[in-house]
Amino acid sequence: MLRGPWRPLWLFVLLLLPLPGAPEPSGASRPWEETDEPRSAWAWPGFQRLKERLRAAAALSKRYWTLFSRQVWPDDCDEAEEGAAGSPGWRLRLLGQRYLDLLTTWYCSFRDCCPSGDCRISNNFTGLEWDLNVRLHGQHLVRQLLLSTVRGYLETPQPDKALALSFHGWSGTGKNFVARMLAENLYRDGLRSSCVRMFIATIHFPHIKYVDLYKEQLKGQIRETQQLCHQTLFIFDEAEKLHPRLLEVLGPHLERRAPEDDRAESPWTIFVFLSNLRGNIINEVVLKLLKDGWSREEITMEHLEPHLQAEIVETIDNGFGHSCLVRENLIDYFIPFLPLEYRHVRLCARDAFLSQELLYTEETLDEIAQMMVYVPKEEQLFSSQGCKSISQRISYFLS
């Protein structure tokens, strides 16, 4: 299929092609009616048919524009346009709804024709709420905090800073999963959207000696993305491995009343940091509370956030804790991901079976969950890998 600026030409050619059941142009000659008499090039049957097609396309233009404009700008329709839409002549069934949809999609790929003002941005908060409630297991604190925080920020007319969220917890507890949920529900194309950028510390910024080069590259990538979209999402995985000087690039975006030239192109920007840093502290606090008789759902942010933030600052072997973002309190929320228990692993296994359209039994879910390693050694309460590698274990189980 043609792409880019050639697509409208392709759509126009489609309009000139014969439509199923369409009558032949009046006066068109058939091959068996040809005579041996000389005729001018202008009388050539093929040229006559082309003229008829062009006349038909010209006659269709007003009707076609009406239908197209009603799809792209539905709020601008008035009674006159409604009347034109019902006028005799060409009908939408002859034109083909498919052609109209193709043109509308092409137009919307570079023009503002959606309620949000940008078709790439969906901000499906209902979908995000559903995902957090149904697809995410064992993370009631994330559900309570994330939706209200993100929605409140994106519905603020003119926020005075970017939103910074830092996800912390053991591997497999859902940090990447939730970051992907955010991208999928806020943007039509999810992580593939031109409004979303994801960085992995060990892949995108692997060498300390090149940190100055990385700073310039990161600054340019943020600026470029913000120029493309008025609402942007930046995800930093393995955040504890980011160099403090690299994180200085983000400082101007996270300070209140930051210089306008740093944020002018993108009023709404969200930075999400994913880290295993101090996941063990979260586990220790949760284990103690459970031993003291608290239920998991009774654990609140007040139980965890002070311990988590203090430990991050005091850790000497990570750049994130020593960055200006943490030292100057520029992170809006440190969000703890709790360690997952046996029952949560079973739910992850069930979801994996359903996503692959495989049949399962309750006994099968138990067998998969029992394949995981649980800690501490005495209690064996928490899955050491969370729900990570569940799909691989299912493949092994079925092989």
Side-chain angles (χ1 to χ4, degrees):
M1 183 180 291
L2 291 175
R3 297 183 180 277
W6 295 105
R7 187 174 290 182
L9 178 60
W10 171 71
L11 290 169
F12 179 73
V13 172
L14 286 177
L15 294 176
L16 301 183
L17 295 176
L19 296 166
E24 290 187 351
S26 60
S29 301
R30 296 176 175 81
W32 55 84
E33 295 177 340
E34 297 289 335
T35 66
D36 294 332
E37 297 180 6
R39 59 200 313 172
S40 69
W42 303 109
W44 176 57
F47 180 77
Q48 293 297 326
R49 285 194 292 273
L50 179 60
K51 285 176 62 179
E52 292 293 334
R53 297 291 176 196
L54 290 172
R55 287 197 190 101
L60 180 62
S61 61
K62 182 177 180 180
R63 162 72 171 149
Y64 188 78
W65 172 253
T66 300
L67 293 170
F68 171 66
S69 61
R70 289 175 66 197
Q71 248 180 250
V72 174
W73 305 289
D75 295 337
D76 293 339
C77 299
D78 54 25
E79 294 181 1
E81 290 176 324
E82 291 292 337
S87 61
W90 284 86
R91 293 288 182 249
L92 185 58
R93 60 181 176 82
L94 293 180
L95 171 65
Q97 181 68 41
R98 184 165 58 91
Y99 296 163
L100 189 61
D101 289 342
L102 282 171
L103 183 59
T104 302
T105 300
W106 167 77
Y107 180 86
C108 287
S109 68
F110 65 92
R111 293 288 297 187
D112 297 341
C113 57
C114 296
S116 67
D118 189 332
C119 293
R120 296 167 298 181
I121 299 171
S122 55
N123 286 349
N124 181 8
F125 299 118
T126 302
L128 178 59
E129 182 178 17
W130 188 91
D131 281 344
L132 292 172
N133 286 324
V134 177
R135 299 174 61 202
L136 182 66
H137 305 302
Q139 304 299 350
H140 67 284
L141 296 179
V142 179
R143 287 199 298 268
Q144 293 169 5
L145 184 61
L146 189 66
L147 177 63
S148 59
T149 299
V150 171
R151 183 170 192 164
Y153 174 74
L154 294 179
E155 291 182 348
T156 301
Q158 287 295 328
D160 58 2
K161 69 182 290 292
L163 176 65
L165 306 173
S166 191
F167 297 172
H168 294 267
W170 260 9
S171 176
T173 52
K175 300 183 299 296
N176 275 277
F177 190 42
V178 172
R180 189 165 69 249
M181 282 182 187
L182 274 178
E184 290 172 349
N185 286 288
L186 298 183
Y187 301 93
R188 179 190 61 193
D189 298 325
L191 289 174
R192 301 189 310 275
S193 173
S194 56
C195 304
V196 179
R197 297 298 297 265
M198 184 167 188
F199 303 96
I200 302 175
T202 53
I203 294 178
H204 295 93
F205 318 110
H207 304 295
I208 294 179
K209 62 182 179 180
Y210 297 129
V211 66
D212 291 327
L213 174 62
Y214 296 152
K215 284 179 64 176
E216 292 305 312
Q217 291 176 341
L218 180 59
K219 186 183 298 184
Q221 289 168 331
I222 292 174
R223 184 186 304 112
E224 177 185 354
T225 306
Q226 290 182 328
Q227 288 171 347
L228 287 172
C229 307
H230 69 268
Q231 176 184 306
T232 51
L233 173 64
F234 299 95
I235 302 170
F236 294 85
D237 198 2
E238 301 180 341
E240 72 276 7
K241 299 175 183 176
L242 295 170
H243 195 280
R245 283 164 52 200
L246 181 64
L247 291 168
E248 291 174 359
V249 171
L250 310 182
H253 301 275
L254 296 172
E255 295 170 353
R256 296 193 182 279
R257 291 179 293 278
E260 285 301 318
D261 58 347
D262 283 342
R263 305 184 286 112
E265 299 295 339
S266 184
W268 295 275
T269 295
I270 300 177
F271 293 102
V272 177
F273 303 95
L274 315 179
S275 176
N276 296 338
L277 188 65
R278 287 321 190 203
N280 58 323
I281 295 298
I282 297 173
N283 295 358
E284 290 174 8
V285 174
V286 172
L287 180 61
K288 183 179 184 304
L289 290 170
L290 293 178
K291 285 184 174 181
D292 290 344
W294 293 73
S295 71
R296 185 185 182 95
E297 287 67 28
E298 291 176 327
I299 297 174
T300 66
M301 287 294 295
E302 286 71 23
H303 290 118
L304 290 164
E305 191 174 28
H307 298 280
L308 180 60
Q309 188 168 357
E311 287 291 331
I312 290 173
V313 172
E314 293 174 7
T315 303
I316 61 174
D317 57 350
N318 80 92
F320 185 72
H322 291 274
S323 69
C324 64
L325 306 187
V326 174
R327 286 187 288 101
E328 298 176 17
N329 297 314
L330 299 180
I331 302 295
D332 294 287
Y333 293 98
F334 291 90
I335 302 181
F337 281 66
L338 308 188
L340 299 182
E341 302 173 29
Y342 181 90
R343 57 190 169 117
H344 306 124
V345 176
R346 286 184 85 259
L347 292 173
C348 291
R350 181 204 63 186
D351 292 350
F353 274 104
L354 291 174
S355 68
Q356 299 177 50
E357 299 183 348
L358 298 173
L359 298 177
Y360 66 90
T361 64
E362 295 301 314
E363 291 75 17
T364 303
L365 299 184
D366 283 324
E367 290 187 56
I368 297 295
Q370 289 166 7
M371 296 172 69
M372 307 297 284
V373 176
Y374 294 86
V375 295
K377 187 175 181 180
E378 297 77 15
E379 293 84 356
Q380 294 193 2
L381 186 59
F382 305 136
S383 170
S384 63
Q385 290 185 292
C387 281
K388 186 168 285 187
S389 78
I390 286 288
S391 296
Q392 293 88 330
R393 292 176 188 274
I394 290 176
S395 300
Y396 175 78
F397 180 80
L398 296 176
S399 61

